[in-house]
């Protein structure tokens, strides 16, 4: 049996009205890879989907009971130009950064970090056995905000509102809003929606979404379907369903084909050029060269130390 930290739930204060659901454009199977010091993960949102899913740059899913798959962790490494959102379903990770910040990320908690002008940090497992499972999402920053002062927020499980639905489902609202409940984080410009939805078999989940947002679901347990008749698409576990951007669609209606758990993520696209070199995401190649020079000359730590806290 799976265990989960019991959380207080809050009642829905509004219903989500959806007249016409988006459908699934395509189903994506991630790519098995490793990152950091040999951490095994699945890259679900890969570089070739950055335009299609603008403002999202990457989604990694990790989930393993084998310590060899995670024990190396992610030693010191830099970021510039975007935000990282790490959501832990199980396990304990200690993070430290160049500004002297430190925190523990564990069961049901999340960390929202704006790398902005530059952060050097590490994310290391604080366990020697047991399960490690979660996700890291990269959210782009608008050109005007890429060199903003870095900051982060630790959100323990109880800081993420969990909405109890009438049908027995729950929605954890990391960002945006659902069923009248505001999420733990609100961000300007990209206006991200980040929900973790648990739904019993046979039940339905509705979420209104702004028409302009790019959106996708990622199923991590069970299976769901979206759409009806010839438009019906099934999304299995460990698959991402990219949602279409039909003009008249005002949200998404998800059917639980079995007991299902999935992320629903959406955001307003930036429509700006993307220049990525590993952990740096800027708008032009020149900015990437400048970033590499800043990092080489040790200016990231100074940036973080002078603005962090
Ligand atoms: Fe990182």
């Amino acid at each position: 049996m799976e265990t989960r930290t019991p959380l207080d739930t809050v009642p829905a204060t509004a219903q989500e009205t959806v007249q016409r659901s988006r459908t699934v454009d395509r189903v994506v199977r991630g790519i098995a890879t490793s990152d950091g010091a040999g951490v095994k993960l699945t890259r679900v949102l890969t570089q070739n989907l950055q335009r299609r899913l603008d403002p999202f740059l990457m989604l990694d899913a990790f989930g393993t009971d084998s310590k060899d798959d995670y024990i190396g962790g992610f030693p010191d490494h830099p970021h510039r130009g975007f935000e990282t959102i790490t959501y832990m379903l199980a396990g304990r990770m200690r993070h430290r950064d160049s500004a002297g910040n430190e925190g523990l990320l564990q069961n049901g908690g999340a960390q929202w970090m704006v790398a902005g002008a530059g952060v050097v940090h590490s994310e290391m497992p604080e366990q020697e056995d047991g399960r490690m499972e979660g996700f890291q999402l990269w959210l782009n920053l608008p050109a005007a905000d890429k060199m903003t002062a870095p900051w982060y927020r630790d959100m323990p499980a109880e800081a993420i509102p969990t909405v109890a639905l009438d049908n027995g489902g729950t929605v954890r609202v990391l960002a945006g809003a659902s069923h009248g409940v505001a999420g733990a984080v609100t961000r300007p410009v990209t206006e991200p929606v980040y929900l973790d939805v648990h739904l019993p078999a046979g039940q339905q989940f509705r979420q209104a979404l702004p028409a302009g947002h790019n959106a996708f679901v990622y199923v991590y347990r069970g299976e769901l379907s979206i759409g009806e008749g010839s438009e019906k698409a099934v999304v299995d576990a460990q698959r991402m369903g990219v949602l279409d951007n039909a003009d008249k669609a005002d949200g998404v209606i998800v059917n639980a084909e079995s007991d299902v758990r999935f992320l629903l993520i959406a955001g307003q696209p930036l429509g700006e050029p993307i220049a990525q070199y590993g952990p740096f995401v800027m708008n032009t190649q020149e900015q990437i060269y400048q970033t590499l020079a800043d990092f080489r000359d040790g200016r990231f730590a100074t940036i973080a130390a002078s603005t962090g806290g």
Side-chain angles (χ1 to χ4, degrees):
M1 272 303 288
E2 263 177 15
T3 55
R4 204 183 130 197
T5 313
L7 293 171
D8 292 336
T9 56
V10 295
T13 60
Q15 292 309 308
E16 294 282 332
T17 314
V18 179
Q19 301 297 337
R20 184 174 159 181
S21 177
R22 295 184 186 217
T23 58
V24 175
D25 234 16
R26 58 189 280 201
V27 175
V28 175
R29 172 200 290 259
I31 293 171
T33 182
S34 69
D35 209 339
V39 178
K40 292 226 171 49
L41 51 84
T42 302
R43 188 141 296 160
V44 179
L45 197 172
T46 48
Q47 223 164 342
N48 61 319
L49 285 167
Q50 287 177 339
R51 282 262 144 247
R52 175 62 185 83
L53 290 175
D54 179 10
F56 302 104
L57 299 164
M58 194 187 84
L59 176 68
D60 282 347
F62 48 95
T64 176
D65 296 309
S66 164
K67 75 162 191 178
D68 294 341
D69 292 345
Y70 61 74
I71 203 73
F74 301 88
D76 270 350
H77 61 277
H79 293 291
R80 174 181 276 182
F82 59 99
E83 314 186 18
T84 67
I85 301 106
T86 311
Y87 179 36
M88 293 290 285
L89 298 175
R92 292 154 62 88
M93 291 277 259
R94 169 81 54 184
H95 65 88
R96 292 190 173 88
D97 70 32
S98 46
N101 300 307
E102 184 176 333
L104 188 62
L105 190 55
Q106 61 185 328
N107 302 337
Q111 184 210 51
W112 199 292
M113 181 179 84
V114 176
V119 159
V120 179
H121 74 161
S122 62
E123 298 149 304
M124 300 300 288
E126 196 156 286
Q127 64 186 38
E128 289 181 354
D129 51 37
R131 186 154 184 81
M132 180 80 75
E133 182 176 16
F135 310 95
Q136 188 170 81
L137 177 71
W138 287 12
L139 168 62
N140 209 354
L141 279 166
D145 296 333
K146 281 189 178 289
M147 294 300 281
T148 192
W151 65 264
Y152 81 87
R153 196 176 140 200
D154 278 319
M155 300 183 281
E158 56 276 15
I160 301 169
T162 302
V163 186
L165 304 175
D166 293 342
N167 61 14
T170 57
V171 194
R172 307 197 69 212
V173 192
L174 283 83
S178 183
H179 294 78
V181 177
V185 168
T186 304
R187 297 292 293 148
V189 190
T190 51
E191 297 169 2
V193 175
Y194 190 153
L195 310 176
D196 176 12
V197 183
H198 296 191
L199 211 53
Q203 299 300 323
Q204 218 171 46
F205 174 78
R206 290 166 182 260
Q207 176 69 36
L209 293 171
H213 275 39
N214 285 328
F216 63 93
V217 293
Y218 178 74
V219 181
Y220 64 93
R221 294 280 192 290
E223 58 180 22
L224 58 77
S225 69
I226 295 173
E228 290 169 353
S230 61
E231 290 194 321
K232 177 175 169 173
V234 173
V235 185
D236 294 320
Q238 276 77 57
R239 298 288 182 275
M240 172 170 67
V242 177
L243 302 183
D244 75 4
N245 294 66
D247 273 353
K248 296 195 179 71
D250 55 354
V252 63
I253 302 173
V254 173
N255 303 296
E257 297 286 324
S258 65
D259 288 355
V260 67
R261 299 182 180 191
F262 63 96
L263 308 179
L264 170 58
I265 295 174
Q268 177 68 39
L270 293 167
E272 294 171 343
I274 299 168
Q276 176 172 7
Y277 182 83
F280 310 125
V281 185
M282 304 300 287
N283 300 109
T284 68
Q285 212 46 51
E286 287 67 32
Q287 291 167 341
I288 291 291
Y289 297 140
Q290 185 60 53
T291 299
L292 291 168
D294 286 350
F295 178 56
R296 185 192 57 219
D297 298 342
R299 283 193 284 269
F300 271 38
T302 337
I303 291 163
S306 62
T307 53

